[in-house]
Amino acid sequence: MRRTCLNIFGSRFLNKNNKALLIRYLKLYSFRIHKAQAMLTRNIDIRSRYPWFFTQRDPHDPAMQKIIETFDMVLLQQHTPENYKVCIARLVHSDHSEIVLNDLTKMYLMTCDVRFHLPVADYRKMESGEIIIFDMKNFTLKHLTKAVVSTLKFISKYLQTAHPVRLVQFHVINCTPIVNRALLFIRPFIYAKLYNTLHFHKVGSLENLYNYIPREMLPSDYGGSAPSMNELKKYWYGVLETYRPFVMNDDYWKPDGNNI
């Protein structure tokens, strides 16, 4: 039955080179074709209406290299017992002048596209949801002044309506008092369903985080047994480098092309 769904959906939208992405959309909606089709259509529509974030992408571009230098985004190698993938993000240092939100958003979406196209040997082992951890350690009030309202609206809409991942938890660790101001600023852009997944952990109180994510699967930076953030970052940006021709192909997602 599921193979039939894959064949029907695939014949209408994606070629065989996109099988991993196709399965991701279908699994997200328990192989209900019409719902998966609707989300994929929204994704393509958003790409066409916000081309700056999805075209002229090159990991070697100086702006992208600056993001790589100043911001860590990694996926952990293991899944939680609930079969959730865990993503950790953090600022490398507190210099707000080196962070450009539009560039950071572009890099994040680029890495997501690569990740979603990685081959899947067994769709049954594909994650059932995702947990995001943001480390506030180097976040300052000055970073809030760099925020672009239109970009926040865009990324919020994309993540909540067109991103082929079920966000199940969002943890903010090493929270400082400015988290309240940051939350007031972004609250208008977050749907209630996502807002209810937020969890906050004060500086030095990671013990509570371990109630949600097994300590041993976290990077050594956070008291776990997994490779360090730097090691994981090196690995994932190596994957991005391998897929550089893919992300640089601006015709890949065009609905009037041969790929979709």
Side-chain angles (χ1 to χ4, degrees), residues 8 36-37 64 68 77 92 102 109 122 125 169 194 218:
I8 294 173
Q37 171 187 340
M64 298 299 99
I68 292 173
Q77 297 171 329
V92 173
N102 284 357
L109 295 173
D122 185 348
K125 296 181 180 180
Q169 296 171 28
L194 180 59
L218 290 168

Side-chain angles (χ1 to χ4, degrees), residues 43-177:
N43 188 298
I44 296 171
D45 179 61
I46 287 175
R47 288 171 186 270
S48 66
R49 288 191 288 117
Y50 299 91
W52 191 90
F53 293 108
F54 299 102
T55 60
Q56 298 182 359
R57 305 187 296 185
D58 183 358
H60 292 181
D61 181 272
M64 298 299 99
Q65 286 293 305
K66 178 58 69 175
I67 293 298
I68 292 173
E69 293 172 8
T70 57
F71 200 85
D72 292 344
M73 291 183 286
V74 305
L75 289 169
L76 302 191
Q77 297 171 329
Q78 294 180 308
H79 291 179
T80 68
E82 298 82 9
N83 194 36
Y84 297 151
K85 197 75 174 172
V86 179
C87 173
I88 302 180
R90 68 179 184 181
L91 292 157
V92 173
H93 52 68
S94 59
D95 185 358
H96 73 286
S97 67
E98 295 191 347
I99 290 292
V100 178
L101 182 59
N102 284 357
D103 293 338
L104 177 58
T105 301
K106 190 169 190 173
M107 172 59 76
Y108 171 71
L109 295 173
M110 191 190 312
T111 57
C112 285
D113 277 355
V114 169
R115 167 192 166 192
F116 296 154
H117 280 76
L118 294 176
V120 177
D122 185 348
Y123 77 85
R124 290 169 295 185
K125 296 181 180 180
M126 182 180 288
E127 69 271 15
S128 302
E130 183 164 318
I131 298 173
I132 296 178
I133 301 173
F134 177 63
D135 187 345
M136 280 196 74
K137 181 179 179 180
N138 291 312
F139 187 84
T140 69
L141 279 176
K142 291 184 178 180
H143 285 99
L144 282 180
T145 67
K146 304 276 289 186
V148 181
V149 172
S150 60
T151 301
L152 290 174
K153 288 181 178 179
F154 156 74
I155 193 62
S156 175
K157 181 178 181 179
Y158 178 83
L159 289 178
Q160 296 174 96
T161 66
H163 195 52
V165 164
R166 186 168 69 94
L167 297 176
V168 293
Q169 296 171 28
F170 197 116
H171 295 268
V172 184
I173 62 175
N174 290 319
C175 290
T176 61

Side-chain angles (χ1 to χ4, degrees), residues 33-45:
I33 295 176
H34 295 299
K35 286 187 173 292
Q37 171 187 340
M39 174 171 269
L40 177 58
T41 300
R42 285 196 300 272
N43 188 298
I44 296 171
D45 179 61

Side-chain angles (χ1 to χ4, degrees), residues 20-40:
L21 178 67
L22 180 61
I23 293 174
R24 182 172 293 277
Y25 275 97
L26 286 169
K27 184 174 181 180
L28 184 65
Y29 286 105
S30 301
F31 287 80
R32 288 173 289 178
I33 295 176
H34 295 299
K35 286 187 173 292
Q37 171 187 340
M39 174 171 269
L40 177 58

Side-chain angles (χ1 to χ4, degrees), residues 12-15 18 21 40-41 43-49 51 54-57 113 117 246-260:
R12 296 178 63 186
F13 289 97
L14 305 172
N15 63 30
N18 303 318
L21 178 67
L40 177 58
T41 300
N43 188 298
I44 296 171
D45 179 61
I46 287 175
R47 288 171 186 270
S48 66
R49 288 191 288 117
F54 299 102
T55 60
Q56 298 182 359
R57 305 187 296 185
D113 277 355
H117 280 76
F246 160 67
V247 298
M248 293 179 67
N249 180 7
D250 289 346
D251 293 329
Y252 188 85
W253 287 90
K254 289 183 178 179
D256 58 347
N258 295 321
N259 292 306
I260 293 182

